Amino acid sequence: MVRAWNKTYNFPSIITHCSNNYGPFQHSEKLIPLVIKNCIEEKSLPIYGTGKNVRDWIYVDDHVEGLIAVAKNGTIGNVYNMGGNTELSNLELVKKICTIMDQLKPRSNKRKYSQLMEFVQDRLGHDFRYSINNHYISSSLGWSPKTSLDNGLEKTITFFLEKFAK
C-alpha cells in the first residue's frame, strides 16, 4: 500500500524490512527470551518439529542503527532490507543459548541446559526459512550489522538473567 501510494501519488516514503530482532526487553513469549527463561526455571526447551527451520537474527541495536541510517540518508521510494547475516536453524540457536547459559549460570546438578531440549509438534504453517539480503543498504548507505550473534546473545542472556533470576 505504501509503495503504491509512493508510485501513484508521489507520497514521500521509504520502506524497510528486517529479519528477526532479538535483545533486551524482547517479549518473553518470543523464542530467545522463552528459552532463556525456561533454562533459568529448568523447564523443557520446546523445539518445533525437527528444529531445522532457519532464521536470520539481528541484534536490536543494529536494527535501530539501520533505521537511523535510512532516516538520515535513505532515498525516497526505495526499499532497504536489514538482516544480521546470521542464518542458523532454531535448533542451532537453542544449542548456542544453552552453551552460553552453561558458562554464565551453570546448573546446580552439573547437567547441561541442552538436556532440557524437547522436540514438540511443529506449528501449522511454520515457515521453513526467513532470510534477508543486506547488499543494497550496505552498498548504498554503508550500513551493516556490528553485533555478532554470540556477543548479542550474551548481552541478551545477561539482561534476562538479571530480570528473571530475581
Side-chain angles (χ1 to χ4, degrees), residues 41-72:
E41 296 174 357
E42 301 209 15
K43 292 181 178 176
S44 70
L45 308 176
I47 309 290
Y48 287 110
T50 62
K52 292 182 182 176
N53 304 64
V54 174
R55 302 289 180 263
D56 178 64
W57 296 91
I58 183 170
Y59 189 67
V60 65
D61 290 352
D62 288 333
H63 184 200
V64 169
E65 291 298 321
L67 292 171
I68 291 169
V70 169
K72 287 182 175 180

Side-chain angles (χ1 to χ4, degrees), residues 1-8 11-18 63 66-71 73-83 132-133 136-137 140-141:
M1 189 71 134
V2 172
R3 188 176 194 134
W5 274 60
N6 172 263
K7 301 295 179 206
T8 305
F11 180 76
S13 62
I14 298 174
I15 297 172
T16 65
H17 301 287
C18 72
H63 184 200
L67 292 171
I68 291 169
V70 169
N73 301 308
T75 302
I76 299 294
N78 283 1
V79 176
Y80 297 91
N81 294 331
M82 291 173 261
I132 207 153
N133 184 327
Y136 180 68
I137 190 171
S140 64
L141 301 182

